[in-house]
């Protein structure tokens, strides 16, 4: 499966995904990185792994630009990794359920609007949860609401800070996301999106 990664963060998940695709019998190859910021770490990851990359900032032409890039690179599956806004619905619809996201909690807990970055971990600690984790899910019209593809969890340590928890969940994400994408792509095998819709 030909995948694209879209985001604007530090790119640690993009690095884990690229590294897995290069070093293992992966079911996917990373064919495109889209960054919504020229300065984002994810651009450096694309360069490091020699993956074609483009910068598409949020503007009136963002939606069209993403759609054209996906078509041009014959992308089967789009992966969100640190995208700070909801993906435009036209893209979700065109990709027919072939869009995944990773969220730093055990969805359906601590998801939805405003739940991103450190806010998620603060909410987890404030709720007094004893476990947390990360979730890979299909992207739909609603925030953090689609079918769950995979989850990993960890025990929260006594006295752990939000920043410490964020770091440990990030590490969990780096092993979970490539495995979840492998599983998702294996399920889609023989039904490549681009081939179906040409
Ligand atoms: C991750 O924590 C992910 O859960 C969230 O955005 C963050 C992206 O971080 N959706 P990075 O850019 O992959 O380091």
């Amino acid at each position: 499966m030909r995948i694209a990664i879209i985001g604007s963060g530090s790119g640690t998940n993009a690095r884990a995904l690229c590294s897995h695709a290069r070093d293992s019998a992966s079911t996917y190859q990373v064919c495109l990185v889209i960054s919504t910021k020229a300065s984002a770490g994810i651009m450096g990851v694309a360069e490091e792994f020699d993956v074609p990359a483009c910068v598409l900032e949020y503007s009136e032409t963002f939606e069209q630009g993403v759609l054209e890039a996906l078509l041009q690179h014959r992308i089967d599956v789009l992966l969100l990794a640190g995208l700070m806004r909801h993906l435009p619905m036209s893209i979700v619809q065109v990709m027919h359920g072939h869009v995944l996201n990773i969220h730093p909690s055990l969805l359906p807990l601590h998801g939805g609007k405003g739940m991103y970055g450190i806010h998620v971990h603060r909410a987890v600690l404030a709720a007094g949860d004893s476990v947390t984790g990360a979730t890979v899910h299909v992207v739909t019209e609603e925030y953090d609401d689609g079918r769950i593809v995979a989850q990993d969890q960890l025990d929260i340590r006594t006295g752990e800070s939000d920043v410490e928890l964020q770091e440990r969940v990030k590490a969990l994400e780096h092993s979970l996301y490539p495995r979840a994408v492998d599983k998702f792509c294996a399920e889609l095998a023989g039904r490549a999106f681009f081939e179906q819709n040409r």
Side-chain angles (χ1 to χ4, degrees):
M1 292 286 160
R2 297 175 61 82
I3 68 153
I5 305 171
I6 185 167
S8 60
S10 55
T12 63
N13 277 288
R15 175 173 285 105
L17 288 159
C18 289
S19 174
H20 179 84
R22 189 179 63 182
D23 300 336
S24 66
S26 152
T27 59
Y28 67 87
Q29 54 174 317
V30 183
C31 298
L32 176 66
V33 164
I34 302 173
S35 176
T36 59
K37 274 197 299 191
S39 59
I42 197 171
M43 290 301 282
V45 174
E47 198 180 341
E48 185 185 329
F49 286 88
D50 209 13
V51 173
C54 61
V55 178
L56 293 170
E57 289 175 352
Y58 294 118
S59 71
E60 280 174 11
T61 57
F62 176 73
E63 221 166 303
Q64 193 56 32
V66 172
L67 287 170
E68 280 169 14
L70 297 178
L71 194 64
Q72 188 194 343
H73 291 268
R74 295 178 290 116
I75 299 302
D76 299 305
V77 177
L78 176 62
L79 306 179
L80 276 49
L83 191 68
M84 291 312 288
R85 296 193 195 176
H86 205 49
L87 193 68
M89 269 318 107
S90 63
I91 301 171
V92 176
Q93 282 158 5
V94 166
M95 292 301 289
H96 289 291
H98 293 192
V99 185
L100 300 183
N101 181 42
I102 188 157
H103 184 79
S105 77
L106 293 173
L107 290 176
L109 296 175
H110 311 296
K113 209 163 185 205
M115 278 295 155
Y116 61 89
I118 199 72
H119 302 292
V120 178
H121 307 290
R122 284 182 187 150
V124 167
L125 292 174
D129 296 351
S130 57
V131 292
T132 187
T135 304
V136 174
H137 66 95
V138 176
V139 174
T140 62
E141 287 80 1
E142 301 297 326
Y143 272 97
D144 304 326
D145 195 41
R147 178 174 74 84
I148 290 174
V149 176
Q151 282 184 321
D152 271 351
Q153 70 175 52
L154 51 74
D155 292 331
I156 297 171
R157 294 173 182 154
T158 311
E160 188 161 24
S161 74
D162 47 9
V163 173
E164 286 164 345
L165 198 53
Q166 184 176 39
E167 270 175 28
R168 290 205 300 130
V169 171
K170 252 304 175 66
L172 203 65
E173 291 179 32
H174 300 159
S175 98
L176 174 67
Y177 212 177
R179 262 189 292 121
V181 175
D182 253 347
K183 177 182 161 205
F184 186 78
C185 289
E187 286 168 8
L188 289 180
R191 297 190 286 126
F193 167 74
F194 185 79
E195 295 304 321
Q196 282 176 345
N197 292 282
R198 207 190 314 248

